[in-house]
Amino acid sequence: MRYEAIRQDDPVLRERLKELAKVRRRFGYPLAGRRLLAIAVRRRLHVFLRREGHEVNHKRLFRIYREEQLHVRRRGGRKRAMGTRAPLVLPLMPNQRWSLDFVSDQLTDGRRFRILTVVDDCTRECLALIADTSLSGARVARELATLFDARGKPQTIVSDNGTEFTSNAILKFVDDRKIDWHYIALGKPTQNAFIESFNGRLRDELLNETLFPSLHHARVTLAAWRTDYNTERPHSRLGWQTPAEFARTFAPQRGLTLRNPQSSAPAPVAQPAQMGKTQTRSLAHHG
């Protein structure tokens, strides 16, 4: 007598998985998914299905994923770090630190254009995707001023040493606005890891998947992708929340606003003792 497994096929789940994988081509499991499954069990497609009410085990979902041959192929090789490096400190509040960088792409007619990317390192929100054939330091200063009016001024801005970020227009802007602008070391992009990771997602999920016939089409597509990234796409480092969901957790819990992130401080665990005295009861109560 031998046990024969009976697998119940769910055609609705299978079709919905195929539809999501077709729309979001870079979401899912890589070719080495079985080895990586124990490291990151719930991939983004699994998160989307659970949002829609599909209570499916991750192993069953992975089996259907393989049967439909929906594997994500990895692009390029892996860069390995040499020597030691210090971990990048994670900001604790919104508007504590922003990261800036540029990404390049081209239209179908061969013309090149650049994209200014701005990310809040705490909430991982994409604050701006500015696309144009030329982005000078004065243009960067104007775009940052618009962001300051809408969101508030950050404490620190991190960027590389590109000519746009070291121009006289940016230096004057930083001096007038009293901003702490930090430049990373030359040849050390890991010191600006948050924006580098975001740029990798932007290129993998949008730029490498889309043909842009015109600059207007590129701007419209970037705006739609930015909205989807902030409000729909689950982020693995935020507990599979979207950046917008994670950002909303700060105001009710800490009484903070994006314009004044230092408006409140956490309450002390125990009442402070008077000079030369020890509050034994208070210390014992609070452990």
Side-chain angles (χ1 to χ4, degrees), residues 17-243:
L17 177 61
K18 292 168 61 178
E19 292 175 0
L20 286 175
K22 182 178 180 181
V23 174
R24 303 179 180 271
R25 290 160 44 91
R26 302 302 298 174
F27 287 5
Y29 301 89
L31 288 176
R34 180 178 293 276
R35 178 173 59 85
L36 298 177
L37 188 59
I39 301 176
V41 176
R42 286 170 36 177
R43 298 289 183 176
R44 290 185 176 86
L45 289 179
H46 191 197
V47 176
F48 275 105
L49 290 173
R50 290 177 65 89
R51 283 183 184 176
E52 298 176 2
H54 295 280
E55 296 295 334
V56 55
N57 185 275
H58 65 272
K59 292 182 287 187
R60 179 185 174 196
L61 180 65
F62 183 55
R63 174 179 58 82
I64 300 176
Y65 191 89
R66 287 184 302 168
E67 292 175 356
E68 297 296 334
Q69 299 181 356
L70 302 174
H71 300 291
V72 175
R73 294 186 178 274
R74 293 192 178 275
R75 296 190 176 100
R78 178 183 177 186
K79 296 181 180 179
R80 299 187 179 276
M82 302 297 293
T84 59
R85 58 186 178 185
L88 192 62
V89 178
L90 182 66
L92 301 179
M93 295 179 294
N95 274 15
Q96 184 174 348
R97 186 176 68 205
W98 290 4
S99 295
L100 276 66
D101 201 2
F102 284 102
V103 180
S104 299
D105 206 346
Q106 67 178 8
L107 305 176
T108 54
D109 58 6
R111 289 185 299 162
R112 305 288 299 181
F113 68 94
R114 306 181 73 193
I115 305 170
L116 172 65
T117 57
V118 185
V119 171
D120 189 309
D121 292 350
C122 175
T123 63
R124 312 298 175 91
E125 293 175 284
C126 175
L127 306 183
L129 290 175
I130 310 300
D132 211 332
T133 54
S134 177
L135 291 170
S136 62
R139 173 70 181 280
V140 173
R142 291 198 303 269
E143 297 295 344
L144 289 178
T146 302
L147 282 178
F148 291 176
D149 295 338
R151 186 181 175 88
K153 185 178 70 173
Q155 299 179 19
T156 305
I157 295 180
V158 182
S159 73
D160 56 21
N161 294 267
T163 56
E164 298 84 1
F165 298 139
T166 58
S167 63
N168 291 331
I170 289 295
L171 296 179
K172 183 178 184 303
F173 176 79
V174 171
D175 185 64
D176 294 340
R177 299 284 182 136
K178 308 301 181 184
I179 303 173
D180 180 19
W181 194 296
H182 175 73
Y183 295 98
I184 64 176
L186 294 175
K188 299 292 184 181
T190 54
Q191 295 182 4
N192 203 7
F194 291 99
I195 196 70
E196 293 292 343
S197 176
F198 172 81
N199 291 343
R201 304 284 75 76
L202 172 64
R203 184 169 298 280
D204 183 58
E205 298 174 12
L206 179 66
L207 300 184
N208 290 343
E209 297 288 318
T210 310
L211 295 176
F212 302 109
S214 65
L215 187 60
H216 174 72
H217 178 263
R219 289 170 175 168
V220 173
T221 306
L222 286 168
W225 187 87
R226 174 177 171 268
T227 302
D228 180 81
Y229 180 88
N230 288 334
T231 60
E232 297 294 335
R233 182 186 186 276
H235 201 294
S236 59
R237 292 297 182 181
L238 303 179
W240 300 108
Q241 299 180 86
T242 64

